[in-house]
Amino acid sequence: MENRKVQQRIRIYDESLWQYIDKLERAESFDGNFNEVINQALKIGLPRLYELTFNSKEYYKKIRDEEGETEVSRRLRDLSVTVDEVSVQVGIIKYLTSILFNVEGHKLEGKALTTDMLESGIFATLPKTLQEIENTMIESTRKSRSNKK
């Protein structure tokens, strides 16, 4: 190995690279230190260049995997938001259906109905028959999911 402390000269012909260097040098983290900009650029870029040069198949596979992971992650996040929104909407529908069912049952029994009763939430309980249907559907879904694993 040669003496690594010997100064080397490099020529940079690409004007766009100089624009990057100039902007980075002005950044607070580099405080005008050209050597630090170049050393950081080498630290980031040389491993990639080495891998691309000596192991290009693995390099491109890794890039594809990273892109695929990002796409999958984004789709899952979007799907999660959609599922959350649907869950809230289903909850509201369930709540309103319970109220309407119970209010109608109360009326059919000939009982008096007041605003205080509606506001109190006593009619928000899911009727027994609907609760049984919901429980059966939830159990069926859980079994189906556990069978797929």
Side-chain angles (χ1 to χ4, degrees), residues 98-149:
S98 299
I99 291 173
L100 290 172
F101 183 90
N102 290 324
V103 165
E104 288 301 313
H106 198 75
K107 283 188 209 174
L108 288 171
E109 292 174 357
K111 298 178 182 175
L113 185 64
T114 66
T115 307
D116 289 337
M117 292 170 88
L118 284 172
E119 290 176 355
S120 72
I122 63 169
F123 294 115
T125 306
L126 199 59
K128 186 177 179 179
T129 53
L130 291 178
Q131 185 64 56
E132 288 172 3
I133 291 170
E134 180 185 44
N135 291 343
T136 302
M137 292 174 76
I138 289 171
E139 185 61 30
S140 174
T141 301
R142 285 183 181 154
K143 284 181 183 176
S144 173
R145 284 186 183 160
S146 66
N147 289 338
K148 289 180 181 177
K149 289 181 181 179

